């Protein structure tokens, strides 16, 4: 995707979806099953409107296609 770079969407239980943007070297394909700790891609600077900001990840979560706060699901304190 030219505007968002490489994009991976992972469907979880209970209508949860996590979305990872600005990726390259994507190692998963549509229909693959992944688990915590699996490598899905590398972070890049492929997002067109942010080419000058360096490598970084855009991460979003949705529940039933409504945006939700990832902090309510993931502990980022030790990352």
């Amino acid at each position: 995707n030219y505007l968002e770079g490489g994009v991976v969407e992972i469907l979880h239980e209970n209508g949860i979806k996590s979305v990872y943007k600005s990726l390259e070297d994507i190692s998963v394909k549509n229909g693959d099953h992944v688990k915590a700790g699996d490598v899905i891609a590398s972070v890049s600077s492929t997002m067109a409107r942010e080419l000058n900001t360096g490598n970084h990840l855009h991460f979003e979560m949705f529940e039933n296609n409504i945006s939700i706060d990832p902090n309510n699901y993931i502990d980022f304190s030790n990352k």
Side-chain angles (χ1 to χ4, degrees), residues 36-77:
D38 286 352
V39 174
I40 60 171
S42 298
V43 176
S44 72
S45 60
T46 56
M47 192 171 249
R49 63 180 179 264
E50 298 178 357
L51 288 173
N52 296 328
T53 60
N55 292 0
H56 63 283
L57 173 71
H58 286 257
F59 178 72
E60 302 171 83
M61 288 184 72
F62 299 86
E63 183 172 9
N64 299 317
N65 290 320
I66 298 171
S67 182
I68 57 175
D69 185 351
N71 290 300
N72 295 331
Y73 296 85
I74 300 171
D75 179 10
F76 291 106
S77 63

Side-chain angles (χ1 to χ4, degrees), residues 28-41:
V28 293
K29 62 185 181 309
N30 193 25
D32 282 355
H33 291 266
V34 297
K35 62 185 182 316
D38 286 352
V39 174
I40 60 171

Side-chain angles (χ1 to χ4, degrees), residues 1-18:
N1 179 324
Y2 174 74
L3 293 177
E4 298 178 325
V7 177
V8 171
E9 295 183 358
I10 298 178
L11 302 177
H12 305 269
E13 296 176 354
N14 303 322
I16 302 289
K17 175 173 63 175
S18 55

